[in-house]
């Protein structure tokens, strides 16, 4: 029985990377520099994570992208993407509920699941609000594991198991959008418009890199 159990464990141990099944494009090539009323604000330089956090991110992710967009009214939205070829390596590191407190923020409004409509696609997102001093930063994000959008925790583990029994190690993408605004409701509304415009501008062949091809 022990020998059989060991053999079974070897058989179901994931050995093949889902990322090897397709040619991966750079994140910067997927996101347009301008679309609709939005364009990259080159006068804004994103604040880098602390050295300890950056080292942890480098261990987990194969590529990250951080951009700040500005519309014609002067409103700004920050976009952050993090890609990991092996989602098992600890994607929780960049989870906003962990990442923001690690940089000195306090989560003042806990995580709330929601659904964001972008074209004919309903996206399962998570919303929360972090603050540090007078800076109030509402955040919208979603997690893509393999080809399916899911949530951290149970959903993430279930997705890993679903791929694992097929011997596949899935990759993962975390898409985060935030803005600085004391009015959180207005910020979430602005972010939803931004996400809608951004996804409408991404080439259809590239959308699966951000949204996957399956509903959770």
């Amino acid at each position: 029985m022990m020998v059989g159990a060991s053999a079974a464990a070897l058989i179901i141990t994931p050995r093949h990377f889902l990322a090897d099944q397709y040619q991966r494009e750079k994140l910067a090539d997927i996101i347009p520099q301008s679309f609709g009323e939005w364009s990259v604000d080159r006068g804004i330089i994103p604040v880098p994570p602390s050295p300890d956090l950056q080292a942890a991110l480098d261990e987990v992710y194969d590529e990250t992208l951080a951009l700040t967009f500005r519309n014609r009214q002067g409103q700004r939205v920050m976009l952050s993407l993090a890609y990991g070829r092996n989602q098992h390596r600890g994607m929780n590191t960049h989870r906003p509920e962990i990442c923001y407190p690690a940089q000195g923020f306090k989560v003042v409004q806990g995580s709330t699941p929601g659904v964001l409509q972008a074209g004919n696609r309903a996206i399962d997102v998570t919303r929360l609000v972090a603050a540090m001093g007078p800076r109030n930063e509402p955040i919208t994000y979603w997690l893509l594991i393999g080809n399916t959008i899911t949530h951290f925790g149970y959903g993430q583990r279930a997705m890993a198991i679903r791929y694992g029994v097929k011997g596949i190690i899935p990759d993962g993408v975390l898409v985060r959008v935030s803005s600085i605004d004391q009015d959180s409701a207005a910020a979430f509304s602005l972010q939803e418009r931004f996400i809608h415009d951004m996804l409408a501008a991404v080439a259809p062949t590239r959308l699966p890199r951000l949204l996957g091809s399956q509903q959770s």
Side-chain angles (χ1 to χ4, degrees), residues 5-19:
S6 299
L10 287 173
I11 292 172
I12 65 174
T13 298
R15 300 179 184 278
H16 305 287
F17 288 94
L18 181 65

Side-chain angles (χ1 to χ4, degrees), residues 102-176:
Q103 298 181 77
F105 283 81
K106 180 180 180 181
V107 176
V108 296
Q109 181 177 316
S111 303
T112 303
V115 178
L116 186 152
Q117 195 70 36
N120 61 352
R121 181 69 183 268
I123 306 172
D124 290 327
V125 301
T126 299
R127 296 186 176 96
L128 69 151
V129 180
M132 182 166 59
R135 175 177 174 137
N136 191 69
E137 189 168 339
I139 304 156
T140 301
Y141 76 86
W142 70 86
L143 174 67
L144 176 69
I145 298 296
N147 292 316
T148 307
I149 290 177
T150 187
H151 292 283
F152 282 106
Y154 173 79
Q156 180 186 13
R157 292 191 296 272
M159 200 60 57
I161 293 172
R162 184 184 302 179
Y163 279 100
V165 296
K166 300 176 183 178
I168 297 174
I169 301 171
D171 54 358
V173 179
L174 178 64
V175 182
R176 188 187 78 211

Side-chain angles (χ1 to χ4, degrees), residues 13-26:
T13 298
R15 300 179 184 278
H16 305 287
F17 288 94
L18 181 65
D20 292 340
Q21 299 180 11
Y22 60 86
Q23 183 175 357
R24 185 169 66 87
E25 297 179 86
K26 291 184 178 180

